[in-house]
Amino acid sequence: MDALVAASAAEDAYMGAALVAVDGEVVFDKAYGSADLEWKIANTTDTKFRIGSVTKQFTAASILLLQQRGLLDIDQPVRTYLPESPASWDAITLRHLLQHTSGIPNLTDFDDFGTWKYLPTTLDALLARFSDKPLNFAPGEKWSYSNSGYMVLAAVAQEVSGQSLDAFMAENIFTPLGMDNTGIDRSEEILPHRAAGYSPSQQGIVNADHVDMSIPQGGGNIYSTTHDLLAWQRGLFGGHLLDARSLAEMTAPGVAAIPGSTYGLGVIRTEDDSGTLVWHGGGIEGFNAYLAHDPDRDITVVVLANLNGGAANTLGQSLLAMARGELE
């Protein structure tokens, strides 16, 4: 495993931290490259990385926790909880949002996104940017990835819980599971051991473009470490967070999404000759992430990167194959 990841790092294709656990035991745990190239500070296994869309499973779990407590029903329309929503959202349920089948256009695909993504904003202002847009398709008609849907889920969680989704996660997920090095990334805060983000270019590695972290609310604004994400997987699949019914609902085969996989509630499920895999990738300016769990073999793979590119996903898949005994 070390040789595989080290080779990618030697080619300047990967910087970050990777971890593999099998049957509850950590079998691989190492960091590569720099957390800060300008100061020549190395990544460590305690370095904090932005995890991009791996955030979505935390939002989904929060919504399911609220459902467990009788505060919402994911098969009810969004307007049940956000009555000021546009009439075009009448048929959209929380399940549609969770599974990217709502038809709400993806905010980060808008032509003008690159002109304002640097600016601090609020959740209400974010929703206002797309709530008046026509739906791309009728709710439930098809699958189309939408960060906007998870912003709406953040607003729903806030409305029914009486606290921000950030505060709800801290109180109900991060603290109970001992995830002391995980939280909501805020651009303006001084955060010890946070990696700087980089991107490849024809001239070599360069500083990544900026996005203000008030923008990817609900869908991409969490930072974490490999060890904390292992704690998250152990807590989630070990029954320490959701009850058995909610976990089954979250990870069950969902709607057809990427080839060979279905999208559940904040997670992707792949079933093939190698077995079942519950996973998600993440990408944001300067960072990529891969988090996967094989529930039948109790294998968890975490690959976090502070250099954009496909290495986190590719390395994660290869490490998984090694852990499964399919690749030497």
Side-chain angles (χ1 to χ4, degrees):
M1 291 179 178
D2 180 34
L4 173 80
V5 183
S8 184
E11 295 171 356
D12 286 339
Y14 174 72
M15 299 195 302
L19 179 150
V20 178
V22 182
D23 288 330
E25 179 183 354
V26 175
V27 298
F28 176 62
D29 180 20
K30 195 167 181 180
Y32 302 81
S34 295
D36 190 312
L37 284 168
E38 293 168 335
W39 285 89
K40 300 187 187 313
I41 297 171
N43 276 322
T44 73
T45 55
D46 294 323
T47 300
K48 300 181 179 76
F49 300 85
R50 292 175 178 172
I51 64 173
S53 286
V54 174
T55 296
K56 290 180 171 65
Q57 59 195 268
F58 290 92
T59 298
S62 297
I63 294 295
L64 288 168
L65 275 174
L66 291 168
Q67 179 173 255
Q68 279 182 199
R69 297 170 185 177
L71 296 176
L72 56 76
D73 180 340
I74 67 171
D75 290 311
Q76 287 297 308
V78 172
R79 295 189 77 188
T80 304
Y81 311 104
L82 300 177
E84 301 302 316
S85 299
S88 60
W89 293 8
D90 280 356
I92 297 175
T93 66
L94 302 188
R95 188 182 296 274
H96 288 138
L97 299 174
L98 288 162
Q99 293 192 315
H100 300 291
T101 58
S102 70
I104 296 176
N106 184 16
L107 179 71
T108 55
D109 287 340
F110 289 1
D111 291 341
D112 66 346
F113 179 68
T115 66
W116 58 266
K117 70 174 186 175
Y118 308 105
L119 305 175
T121 189
T122 65
L123 185 56
D124 287 343
L126 287 168
L127 268 58
R129 287 187 177 273
F130 58 81
S131 59
D132 62 342
K133 306 290 186 187
L135 299 182
N136 289 339
F137 50 84
E141 183 177 88
K142 63 180 182 178
W143 183 87
S144 182
Y145 199 82
S146 176
N147 289 299
S148 303
Y150 274 75
M151 295 173 187
V152 179
L153 288 168
V156 170
Q158 178 173 291
E159 182 66 25
V160 303
S161 71
Q163 58 186 153
S164 69
L165 177 58
D166 304 357
F168 183 87
M169 286 181 180
E171 181 179 320
N172 294 277
I173 299 178
F174 304 152
T175 298
L177 295 183
M179 299 173 65
D180 298 332
N181 292 310
T182 301
I184 302 303
D185 202 316
R186 294 179 172 84
S187 300
E188 71 278 8
E189 287 188 358
I190 303 300
L191 180 63
H193 303 141
R194 174 169 52 187
Y198 299 95
S199 294
S201 77
Q202 292 183 346
Q203 292 74 42
I205 297 174
V206 297
N207 287 313
D209 195 9
H210 177 73
V211 60
D212 192 273
M213 292 305 292
S214 62
I215 292 173
Q217 296 191 45
N221 60 344
I222 288 178
Y223 68 82
S224 192
T225 66
T226 53
H227 287 268
D228 270 20
L229 289 175
L230 175 60
W232 157 248
Q233 296 286 268
R234 285 174 169 165
L236 180 66
F237 289 96
H240 304 301
L241 185 69
L242 299 177
D243 61 28
R245 180 178 178 180
S246 295
L247 179 61
E249 190 166 27
M250 180 177 180
T251 60
V255 296
I258 61 177
S261 301
T262 61
Y263 204 97
L265 307 182
V267 292
I268 300 168
R269 182 184 177 105
T270 301
E271 294 180 274
D272 53 26
D273 292 341
S274 296
T276 299
L277 191 68
V278 180
W279 65 280
H280 210 290
I284 195 168
E285 283 82 348
F287 297 85
N288 285 89
Y290 176 86
L291 176 62
H293 183 72
D294 179 334
D296 299 322
R297 300 176 178 89
D298 190 17
I299 297 171
T300 294
V301 176
V302 190
V303 182
L304 304 179
N306 60 322
L307 174 61
N308 280 142
N313 191 67
T314 301
L315 291 172
Q317 293 174 350
S318 296
L319 291 171
L320 174 67
M322 287 181 170
R324 283 173 161 175
E326 300 169 344
L327 180 68
E328 295 184 358

